[in-house]
Amino acid sequence: MAYLFNDPSDFADELTAGFIAAYPRWVRKVPGGVARSTASKPGTVAVIIGGGSGHYPAFAGLVGPGLAHGAAMGNIFASPSAQQVYSVAKAAESGGGVLLTYGNYAGDVLNFNQAQDRLNGEGIRTATVAVTDDISSARADEAHKRRGIAGDLAVFKVAGAAADEGRILDEVVDVASRANSRTRSFGIAFSGCTLPGSAEPLFTIPEGKMAVGMGIHGEPGIGEEDLPSADQAAELLVRWLLSEAADGPEGSRVALILNGLGSVKSEELFVVYKRVAELLDEAGVTIVEPEIGEMVTSFQMAGISLTLMWLDGDLERYWKAAASTPAFRKGAVEETDDGAWAPERSLGTEDELPTSTAESRSAAAVVQELLEAVREVIDANVDDLGRLDSIAGDGDHGIGMQRGATAAAKAGREAVGRGAGAGTLLSRAGDAWADKAGGTSGALWGMLLATIGGRLGDQERPTAEAVSRGVSDGAAKIMEFGKAQLGDKTLVDTLVPFAVALEKAVARGSSLAEAWAAAGEVARASAEATATLVPKMGRARPLAEKSLGTPDPGAMSMAMIISTVGTRISAKEKISD
């Protein structure tokens, strides 16, 4: 698939810049994404949405009066970092609190929740509603595990309308939660998508077949069937959605979204909609102001999804309310005197470095060498990690790790150049990793580096005991925030055994190099052993059996980095001897 791009690594930044240049009437650039270019009335709840780039018009295209107040924009198919979400919320909030709402993916949950905690800690009342509309991604009795797809628009729309009407935060949260609980989506795909700069698609579908229930990042669905006619596609989508209606939302009036995933054109969607409308009419369901077109896309993926939101009085009023954004318009939004450009808020800087000792600054130089080695090994293995991830996931693990490692090394170089100690260097490298990598692994790696940095500090020469405690603390924090446990087939299955082995070896009196080498063997074996597991979290969880026989990419990249760091530590220790 041919794309117009310059450097693939700059694609997300450049599309953001072009988007802002094209639509200054609606949006302005803020740290981490975009916000409305018009001021909101003081006391208005700020509805902040967000997710990975590559799904336009979700998410930035939905910012404007009657809809979202800001959008945090992650890298391609990667969640925005906690810092990005926080920054957008700070720039957009106007005194009424903040609602964060997004599709239910592990990375988004982790990063939006961290941003929520930070905002609440600063006295900005903040709440979260994760969208869980995709019925193919989990059973009805586990609806909280379902991912968010085109139903995002339904939830965002009613939340934004309620906020602009002047409802208080608790009421906006109630409206958004009610909309989510009454929204169902189901999709089919006929071909995969290829990321800019990649030679191969993230996934393929056999000729003459369609994937049923596939996610917008290429997550596995619930099976494959023969390629349908337009009417057969409509019948399949309606049948699946109405199958939940009996035990699901009450009512006979629905908002409807027939969504094209990228390469299915509007004319084809209208052919499908003809039959969808007939089937719903036969079922006694009344369609209210349907939306047909590209709402949540996946580059050039061929496929469609159908969303139904069962309406009550409030939801119907907010669904029909006027909205004006770059990509979604409904009714007429009144221009008011307060529609001036809103000043961008200063978020402050962390320009001053904490004081550090010469010993810690010397250690920081060593840590920076380790970060450069990590960047090099990830660069060398980025394609292999992507292929490993594509077996049961979405294929972007290698790219995400590369972004994170590159950003961490760059931040480290800047910190070393300014005289940072080891702790500050690792903390800033962790922040940069999380910010640029996005996604779940980006957040977790950022957390791990920052936690180790906190243990090392900037005053003392790092000891084996401090490093070991930092790794153990990082593993515990990742399990607490990421919710993964041993056996869930994640990086935890490598990190925790490594941390335990490292701590034991250090306690026996081994040097850091000796302890790391011994624990590194445990990490390697633990990562390879994940091949026998099935994933219980993340994008690979649906059709988890596809990953049987294949180790987890996050576990393998963790082991790869542990091995690389161990080799460099050993070399350093020999030189010092």
PDB file of all heavy atoms in Angstrom, residues 154 157-158 161 175 178-179 182 252-255 286-289 309-322 330:
ATOM      1  N   ALA A 154     -20.721   7.800  19.722  1.00  0.00           N
ATOM      2  CA  ALA A 154     -22.010   7.961  20.395  1.00  0.00           C
ATOM      3  C   ALA A 154     -21.825   8.481  21.814  1.00  0.00           C
ATOM      4  O   ALA A 154     -22.522   9.405  22.259  1.00  0.00           O
ATOM      5  CB  ALA A 154     -22.754   6.623  20.407  1.00  0.00           C
ATOM      6  N   LYS A 157     -20.386  12.087  21.804  1.00  0.00           N
ATOM      7  CA  LYS A 157     -21.367  13.075  21.337  1.00  0.00           C
ATOM      8  C   LYS A 157     -22.318  13.484  22.456  1.00  0.00           C
ATOM      9  O   LYS A 157     -22.555  14.682  22.676  1.00  0.00           O
ATOM     10  CB  LYS A 157     -22.158  12.506  20.159  1.00  0.00           C
ATOM     11  CG  LYS A 157     -23.334  13.370  19.691  1.00  0.00           C
ATOM     12  CD  LYS A 157     -22.861  14.711  19.145  1.00  0.00           C
ATOM     13  CE  LYS A 157     -24.020  15.559  18.629  1.00  0.00           C
ATOM     14  NZ  LYS A 157     -24.910  15.995  19.713  1.00  0.00           N
ATOM     15  N   VAL A 158     -22.881  12.520  23.149  1.00  0.00           N
ATOM     16  CA  VAL A 158     -23.855  12.878  24.184  1.00  0.00           C
ATOM     17  C   VAL A 158     -23.159  13.527  25.375  1.00  0.00           C
ATOM     18  O   VAL A 158     -23.706  14.431  26.017  1.00  0.00           O
ATOM     19  CB  VAL A 158     -24.706  11.674  24.619  1.00  0.00           C
ATOM     20  CG1 VAL A 158     -25.486  11.107  23.437  1.00  0.00           C
ATOM     21  CG2 VAL A 158     -23.865  10.584  25.260  1.00  0.00           C
ATOM     22  N   ALA A 161     -22.438  17.180  24.391  1.00  0.00           N
ATOM     23  CA  ALA A 161     -23.663  17.974  24.375  1.00  0.00           C
ATOM     24  C   ALA A 161     -24.135  18.284  25.793  1.00  0.00           C
ATOM     25  O   ALA A 161     -24.577  19.398  26.089  1.00  0.00           O
ATOM     26  CB  ALA A 161     -24.750  17.239  23.600  1.00  0.00           C
ATOM     27  N   VAL A 175     -24.568  10.660  32.086  1.00  0.00           N
ATOM     28  CA  VAL A 175     -25.031  10.593  30.694  1.00  0.00           C
ATOM     29  C   VAL A 175     -24.085   9.727  29.869  1.00  0.00           C
ATOM     30  O   VAL A 175     -24.518   8.864  29.098  1.00  0.00           O
ATOM     31  CB  VAL A 175     -25.136  12.010  30.096  1.00  0.00           C
ATOM     32  CG1 VAL A 175     -25.262  11.955  28.577  1.00  0.00           C
ATOM     33  CG2 VAL A 175     -26.329  12.751  30.691  1.00  0.00           C
ATOM     34  N   ARG A 178     -24.400   6.067  30.893  1.00  0.00           N
ATOM     35  CA  ARG A 178     -25.650   5.506  30.381  1.00  0.00           C
ATOM     36  C   ARG A 178     -25.545   5.230  28.889  1.00  0.00           C
ATOM     37  O   ARG A 178     -25.987   4.196  28.389  1.00  0.00           O
ATOM     38  CB  ARG A 178     -26.790   6.481  30.677  1.00  0.00           C
ATOM     39  CG  ARG A 178     -28.126   5.781  30.923  1.00  0.00           C
ATOM     40  CD  ARG A 178     -29.233   6.740  31.303  1.00  0.00           C
ATOM     41  NE  ARG A 178     -28.799   7.980  31.884  1.00  0.00           N
ATOM     42  CZ  ARG A 178     -29.369   9.158  31.618  1.00  0.00           C
ATOM     43  NH1 ARG A 178     -30.355   9.225  30.740  1.00  0.00           N
ATOM     44  NH2 ARG A 178     -28.948  10.254  32.197  1.00  0.00           N
ATOM     45  N   ALA A 179     -24.939   6.173  28.160  1.00  0.00           N
ATOM     46  CA  ALA A 179     -24.762   5.966  26.722  1.00  0.00           C
ATOM     47  C   ALA A 179     -23.904   4.743  26.458  1.00  0.00           C
ATOM     48  O   ALA A 179     -24.222   3.916  25.584  1.00  0.00           O
ATOM     49  CB  ALA A 179     -24.116   7.204  26.104  1.00  0.00           C
ATOM     50  N   ARG A 182     -25.677   1.460  26.890  1.00  0.00           N
ATOM     51  CA  ARG A 182     -26.753   1.215  25.935  1.00  0.00           C
ATOM     52  C   ARG A 182     -26.243   1.196  24.482  1.00  0.00           C
ATOM     53  O   ARG A 182     -27.029   1.267  23.543  1.00  0.00           O
ATOM     54  CB  ARG A 182     -27.832   2.295  26.092  1.00  0.00           C
ATOM     55  CG  ARG A 182     -28.451   2.309  27.484  1.00  0.00           C
ATOM     56  CD  ARG A 182     -29.328   3.537  27.690  1.00  0.00           C
ATOM     57  NE  ARG A 182     -30.566   3.458  26.940  1.00  0.00           N
ATOM     58  CZ  ARG A 182     -31.706   2.936  27.380  1.00  0.00           C
ATOM     59  NH1 ARG A 182     -31.766   2.429  28.600  1.00  0.00           N
ATOM     60  NH2 ARG A 182     -32.795   2.931  26.627  1.00  0.00           N
ATOM     61  N   SER A 252     -37.055   1.158  21.883  1.00  0.00           N
ATOM     62  CA  SER A 252     -37.135   0.769  20.472  1.00  0.00           C
ATOM     63  C   SER A 252     -36.609   1.870  19.555  1.00  0.00           C
ATOM     64  O   SER A 252     -36.716   1.757  18.341  1.00  0.00           O
ATOM     65  CB  SER A 252     -38.589   0.458  20.104  1.00  0.00           C
ATOM     66  OG  SER A 252     -39.407   1.605  20.316  1.00  0.00           O
ATOM     67  N   ARG A 253     -36.010   2.924  20.142  1.00  0.00           N
ATOM     68  CA  ARG A 253     -35.450   4.001  19.337  1.00  0.00           C
ATOM     69  C   ARG A 253     -33.931   3.967  19.486  1.00  0.00           C
ATOM     70  O   ARG A 253     -33.401   3.881  20.612  1.00  0.00           O
ATOM     71  CB  ARG A 253     -35.995   5.365  19.777  1.00  0.00           C
ATOM     72  CG  ARG A 253     -37.500   5.491  19.540  1.00  0.00           C
ATOM     73  CD  ARG A 253     -38.063   6.777  20.124  1.00  0.00           C
ATOM     74  NE  ARG A 253     -37.562   7.982  19.455  1.00  0.00           N
ATOM     75  CZ  ARG A 253     -38.052   8.442  18.297  1.00  0.00           C
ATOM     76  NH1 ARG A 253     -39.027   7.805  17.673  1.00  0.00           N
ATOM     77  NH2 ARG A 253     -37.559   9.548  17.752  1.00  0.00           N
ATOM     78  N   VAL A 254     -33.228   4.012  18.353  1.00  0.00           N
ATOM     79  CA  VAL A 254     -31.776   3.877  18.399  1.00  0.00           C
ATOM     80  C   VAL A 254     -31.102   4.970  17.581  1.00  0.00           C
ATOM     81  O   VAL A 254     -31.600   5.399  16.539  1.00  0.00           O
ATOM     82  CB  VAL A 254     -31.304   2.500  17.872  1.00  0.00           C
ATOM     83  CG1 VAL A 254     -31.847   1.370  18.721  1.00  0.00           C
ATOM     84  CG2 VAL A 254     -31.660   2.302  16.405  1.00  0.00           C
ATOM     85  N   ALA A 255     -29.951   5.424  18.061  1.00  0.00           N
ATOM     86  CA  ALA A 255     -29.008   6.154  17.228  1.00  0.00           C
ATOM     87  C   ALA A 255     -28.184   5.108  16.495  1.00  0.00           C
ATOM     88  O   ALA A 255     -27.865   4.057  17.057  1.00  0.00           O
ATOM     89  CB  ALA A 255     -28.119   7.035  18.087  1.00  0.00           C
ATOM     90  N   THR A 286     -36.858   1.939  15.667  1.00  0.00           N
ATOM     91  CA  THR A 286     -36.869   3.221  14.965  1.00  0.00           C
ATOM     92  C   THR A 286     -35.482   3.844  14.986  1.00  0.00           C
ATOM     93  O   THR A 286     -34.876   3.992  16.048  1.00  0.00           O
ATOM     94  CB  THR A 286     -37.857   4.189  15.631  1.00  0.00           C
ATOM     95  OG1 THR A 286     -39.168   3.617  15.592  1.00  0.00           O
ATOM     96  CG2 THR A 286     -37.867   5.534  14.911  1.00  0.00           C
ATOM     97  N   ILE A 287     -34.973   4.201  13.807  1.00  0.00           N
ATOM     98  CA  ILE A 287     -33.647   4.811  13.692  1.00  0.00           C
ATOM     99  C   ILE A 287     -33.780   6.325  13.806  1.00  0.00           C
ATOM    100  O   ILE A 287     -34.598   6.935  13.127  1.00  0.00           O
ATOM    101  CB  ILE A 287     -33.000   4.441  12.347  1.00  0.00           C
ATOM    102  CG1 ILE A 287     -32.852   2.922  12.226  1.00  0.00           C
ATOM    103  CG2 ILE A 287     -31.647   5.123  12.199  1.00  0.00           C
ATOM    104  CD1 ILE A 287     -32.456   2.459  10.836  1.00  0.00           C
ATOM    105  N   VAL A 288     -32.939   6.927  14.648  1.00  0.00           N
ATOM    106  CA  VAL A 288     -32.963   8.367  14.877  1.00  0.00           C
ATOM    107  C   VAL A 288     -31.668   8.976  14.344  1.00  0.00           C
ATOM    108  O   VAL A 288     -30.580   8.677  14.835  1.00  0.00           O
ATOM    109  CB  VAL A 288     -33.118   8.691  16.379  1.00  0.00           C
ATOM    110  CG1 VAL A 288     -33.077  10.196  16.603  1.00  0.00           C
ATOM    111  CG2 VAL A 288     -34.408   8.094  16.929  1.00  0.00           C
ATOM    112  N   GLU A 289     -31.790   9.798  13.320  1.00  0.00           N
ATOM    113  CA  GLU A 289     -30.677  10.549  12.752  1.00  0.00           C
ATOM    114  C   GLU A 289     -29.418   9.691  12.579  1.00  0.00           C
ATOM    115  O   GLU A 289     -28.411   9.888  13.271  1.00  0.00           O
ATOM    116  CB  GLU A 289     -30.369  11.782  13.609  1.00  0.00           C
ATOM    117  CG  GLU A 289     -31.519  12.772  13.615  1.00  0.00           C
ATOM    118  CD  GLU A 289     -31.152  14.129  14.206  1.00  0.00           C
ATOM    119  OE1 GLU A 289     -29.961  14.328  14.548  1.00  0.00           O
ATOM    120  OE2 GLU A 289     -32.050  14.978  14.327  1.00  0.00           O
ATOM    121  N   MET A 309     -27.086   2.688  19.488  1.00  0.00           N
ATOM    122  CA  MET A 309     -27.227   3.188  20.857  1.00  0.00           C
ATOM    123  C   MET A 309     -28.714   3.295  21.162  1.00  0.00           C
ATOM    124  O   MET A 309     -29.425   4.100  20.538  1.00  0.00           O
ATOM    125  CB  MET A 309     -26.553   4.545  21.033  1.00  0.00           C
ATOM    126  CG  MET A 309     -26.776   5.143  22.431  1.00  0.00           C
ATOM    127  SD  MET A 309     -25.819   6.649  22.777  1.00  0.00           S
ATOM    128  CE  MET A 309     -26.532   7.806  21.600  1.00  0.00           C
ATOM    129  N   TRP A 310     -29.192   2.468  22.094  1.00  0.00           N
ATOM    130  CA  TRP A 310     -30.601   2.502  22.467  1.00  0.00           C
ATOM    131  C   TRP A 310     -30.862   3.766  23.282  1.00  0.00           C
ATOM    132  O   TRP A 310     -30.180   4.026  24.287  1.00  0.00           O
ATOM    133  CB  TRP A 310     -30.953   1.249  23.272  1.00  0.00           C
ATOM    134  CG  TRP A 310     -31.299   0.079  22.396  1.00  0.00           C
ATOM    135  CD1 TRP A 310     -32.542  -0.351  22.051  1.00  0.00           C
ATOM    136  CD2 TRP A 310     -30.383  -0.811  21.731  1.00  0.00           C
ATOM    137  NE1 TRP A 310     -32.467  -1.442  21.213  1.00  0.00           N
ATOM    138  CE2 TRP A 310     -31.162  -1.748  20.999  1.00  0.00           C
ATOM    139  CE3 TRP A 310     -28.997  -0.903  21.676  1.00  0.00           C
ATOM    140  CZ2 TRP A 310     -30.590  -2.763  20.242  1.00  0.00           C
ATOM    141  CZ3 TRP A 310     -28.423  -1.907  20.909  1.00  0.00           C
ATOM    142  CH2 TRP A 310     -29.213  -2.820  20.206  1.00  0.00           C
ATOM    143  N   LEU A 311     -31.821   4.556  22.842  1.00  0.00           N
ATOM    144  CA  LEU A 311     -32.008   5.897  23.370  1.00  0.00           C
ATOM    145  C   LEU A 311     -33.024   5.959  24.500  1.00  0.00           C
ATOM    146  O   LEU A 311     -34.013   5.214  24.516  1.00  0.00           O
ATOM    147  CB  LEU A 311     -32.461   6.833  22.242  1.00  0.00           C
ATOM    148  CG  LEU A 311     -31.492   6.979  21.067  1.00  0.00           C
ATOM    149  CD1 LEU A 311     -32.162   7.729  19.922  1.00  0.00           C
ATOM    150  CD2 LEU A 311     -30.211   7.687  21.505  1.00  0.00           C
ATOM    151  N   ASP A 312     -32.779   6.865  25.432  1.00  0.00           N
ATOM    152  CA  ASP A 312     -33.815   7.339  26.349  1.00  0.00           C
ATOM    153  C   ASP A 312     -34.000   8.824  26.056  1.00  0.00           C
ATOM    154  O   ASP A 312     -33.423   9.348  25.098  1.00  0.00           O
ATOM    155  CB  ASP A 312     -33.448   7.053  27.811  1.00  0.00           C
ATOM    156  CG  ASP A 312     -32.153   7.738  28.262  1.00  0.00           C
ATOM    157  OD1 ASP A 312     -31.715   8.712  27.595  1.00  0.00           O
ATOM    158  OD2 ASP A 312     -31.573   7.312  29.280  1.00  0.00           O
ATOM    159  N   GLY A 313     -34.793   9.512  26.872  1.00  0.00           N
ATOM    160  CA  GLY A 313     -35.100  10.905  26.565  1.00  0.00           C
ATOM    161  C   GLY A 313     -33.872  11.792  26.503  1.00  0.00           C
ATOM    162  O   GLY A 313     -33.672  12.558  25.554  1.00  0.00           O
ATOM    163  N   ASP A 314     -33.007  11.697  27.532  1.00  0.00           N
ATOM    164  CA  ASP A 314     -31.798  12.511  27.549  1.00  0.00           C
ATOM    165  C   ASP A 314     -30.875  12.163  26.392  1.00  0.00           C
ATOM    166  O   ASP A 314     -30.350  13.043  25.706  1.00  0.00           O
ATOM    167  CB  ASP A 314     -31.037  12.308  28.869  1.00  0.00           C
ATOM    168  CG  ASP A 314     -31.615  13.126  30.006  1.00  0.00           C
ATOM    169  OD1 ASP A 314     -32.364  14.079  29.734  1.00  0.00           O
ATOM    170  OD2 ASP A 314     -31.303  12.808  31.168  1.00  0.00           O
ATOM    171  N   LEU A 315     -30.645  10.874  26.193  1.00  0.00           N
ATOM    172  CA  LEU A 315     -29.698  10.459  25.162  1.00  0.00           C
ATOM    173  C   LEU A 315     -30.162  10.884  23.774  1.00  0.00           C
ATOM    174  O   LEU A 315     -29.350  11.310  22.943  1.00  0.00           O
ATOM    175  CB  LEU A 315     -29.485   8.943  25.206  1.00  0.00           C
ATOM    176  CG  LEU A 315     -28.843   8.392  26.484  1.00  0.00           C
ATOM    177  CD1 LEU A 315     -28.647   6.884  26.365  1.00  0.00           C
ATOM    178  CD2 LEU A 315     -27.519   9.084  26.788  1.00  0.00           C
ATOM    179  N   GLU A 316     -31.462  10.803  23.509  1.00  0.00           N
ATOM    180  CA  GLU A 316     -31.950  11.231  22.204  1.00  0.00           C
ATOM    181  C   GLU A 316     -31.769  12.737  22.025  1.00  0.00           C
ATOM    182  O   GLU A 316     -31.353  13.200  20.953  1.00  0.00           O
ATOM    183  CB  GLU A 316     -33.422  10.862  22.026  1.00  0.00           C
ATOM    184  CG  GLU A 316     -33.964  11.304  20.673  1.00  0.00           C
ATOM    185  CD  GLU A 316     -35.271  10.632  20.284  1.00  0.00           C
ATOM    186  OE1 GLU A 316     -35.667   9.641  20.941  1.00  0.00           O
ATOM    187  OE2 GLU A 316     -35.902  11.096  19.308  1.00  0.00           O
ATOM    188  N   ARG A 317     -32.038  13.496  23.073  1.00  0.00           N
ATOM    189  CA  ARG A 317     -31.886  14.947  22.965  1.00  0.00           C
ATOM    190  C   ARG A 317     -30.428  15.312  22.708  1.00  0.00           C
ATOM    191  O   ARG A 317     -30.120  16.162  21.875  1.00  0.00           O
ATOM    192  CB  ARG A 317     -32.388  15.602  24.264  1.00  0.00           C
ATOM    193  CG  ARG A 317     -32.247  17.108  24.304  1.00  0.00           C
ATOM    194  CD  ARG A 317     -33.193  17.690  25.353  1.00  0.00           C
ATOM    195  NE  ARG A 317     -32.999  17.088  26.656  1.00  0.00           N
ATOM    196  CZ  ARG A 317     -32.120  17.526  27.574  1.00  0.00           C
ATOM    197  NH1 ARG A 317     -31.376  18.576  27.287  1.00  0.00           N
ATOM    198  NH2 ARG A 317     -32.008  16.932  28.744  1.00  0.00           N
ATOM    199  N   TYR A 318     -29.509  14.663  23.406  1.00  0.00           N
ATOM    200  CA  TYR A 318     -28.093  14.987  23.223  1.00  0.00           C
ATOM    201  C   TYR A 318     -27.540  14.445  21.909  1.00  0.00           C
ATOM    202  O   TYR A 318     -26.642  15.044  21.315  1.00  0.00           O
ATOM    203  CB  TYR A 318     -27.281  14.471  24.415  1.00  0.00           C
ATOM    204  CG  TYR A 318     -27.581  15.204  25.701  1.00  0.00           C
ATOM    205  CD1 TYR A 318     -27.766  14.518  26.895  1.00  0.00           C
ATOM    206  CD2 TYR A 318     -27.688  16.591  25.726  1.00  0.00           C
ATOM    207  CE1 TYR A 318     -28.039  15.181  28.082  1.00  0.00           C
ATOM    208  CE2 TYR A 318     -27.963  17.267  26.897  1.00  0.00           C
ATOM    209  CZ  TYR A 318     -28.150  16.563  28.077  1.00  0.00           C
ATOM    210  OH  TYR A 318     -28.434  17.237  29.246  1.00  0.00           O
ATOM    211  N   TRP A 319     -28.058  13.313  21.462  1.00  0.00           N
ATOM    212  CA  TRP A 319     -27.638  12.787  20.159  1.00  0.00           C
ATOM    213  C   TRP A 319     -28.054  13.744  19.036  1.00  0.00           C
ATOM    214  O   TRP A 319     -27.304  13.959  18.080  1.00  0.00           O
ATOM    215  CB  TRP A 319     -28.247  11.413  19.933  1.00  0.00           C
ATOM    216  CG  TRP A 319     -27.991  10.831  18.562  1.00  0.00           C
ATOM    217  CD1 TRP A 319     -28.901  10.617  17.569  1.00  0.00           C
ATOM    218  CD2 TRP A 319     -26.733  10.389  18.038  1.00  0.00           C
ATOM    219  NE1 TRP A 319     -28.305  10.075  16.458  1.00  0.00           N
ATOM    220  CE2 TRP A 319     -26.969   9.926  16.714  1.00  0.00           C
ATOM    221  CE3 TRP A 319     -25.436  10.339  18.533  1.00  0.00           C
ATOM    222  CZ2 TRP A 319     -25.952   9.416  15.903  1.00  0.00           C
ATOM    223  CZ3 TRP A 319     -24.416   9.834  17.732  1.00  0.00           C
ATOM    224  CH2 TRP A 319     -24.683   9.387  16.428  1.00  0.00           C
ATOM    225  N   LYS A 320     -29.210  14.364  19.161  1.00  0.00           N
ATOM    226  CA  LYS A 320     -29.730  15.255  18.121  1.00  0.00           C
ATOM    227  C   LYS A 320     -29.227  16.692  18.265  1.00  0.00           C
ATOM    228  O   LYS A 320     -29.448  17.515  17.378  1.00  0.00           O
ATOM    229  CB  LYS A 320     -31.260  15.239  18.154  1.00  0.00           C
ATOM    230  CG  LYS A 320     -31.853  13.886  17.765  1.00  0.00           C
ATOM    231  CD  LYS A 320     -33.317  13.752  18.151  1.00  0.00           C
ATOM    232  CE  LYS A 320     -34.212  14.647  17.336  1.00  0.00           C
ATOM    233  NZ  LYS A 320     -35.647  14.367  17.613  1.00  0.00           N
ATOM    234  N   ALA A 321     -28.556  16.997  19.381  1.00  0.00           N
ATOM    235  CA  ALA A 321     -28.116  18.370  19.626  1.00  0.00           C
ATOM    236  C   ALA A 321     -27.077  18.799  18.592  1.00  0.00           C
ATOM    237  O   ALA A 321     -26.329  17.989  18.039  1.00  0.00           O
ATOM    238  CB  ALA A 321     -27.531  18.482  21.036  1.00  0.00           C
ATOM    239  N   ALA A 322     -27.033  20.098  18.337  1.00  0.00           N
ATOM    240  CA  ALA A 322     -26.108  20.651  17.344  1.00  0.00           C
ATOM    241  C   ALA A 322     -24.659  20.429  17.762  1.00  0.00           C
ATOM    242  O   ALA A 322     -24.321  20.427  18.946  1.00  0.00           O
ATOM    243  CB  ALA A 322     -26.376  22.137  17.155  1.00  0.00           C
ATOM    244  N   LYS A 330     -23.683  18.692  12.982  1.00  0.00           N
ATOM    245  CA  LYS A 330     -25.102  18.383  13.121  1.00  0.00           C
ATOM    246  C   LYS A 330     -25.810  19.650  13.541  1.00  0.00           C
ATOM    247  O   LYS A 330     -25.404  20.304  14.507  1.00  0.00           O
ATOM    248  CB  LYS A 330     -25.303  17.274  14.157  1.00  0.00           C
ATOM    249  CG  LYS A 330     -26.740  16.774  14.298  1.00  0.00           C
ATOM    250  CD  LYS A 330     -26.872  15.813  15.460  1.00  0.00           C
ATOM    251  CE  LYS A 330     -26.266  14.457  15.164  1.00  0.00           C
ATOM    252  NZ  LYS A 330     -27.131  13.627  14.292  1.00  0.00           N
TER     253      LYS A 330
END
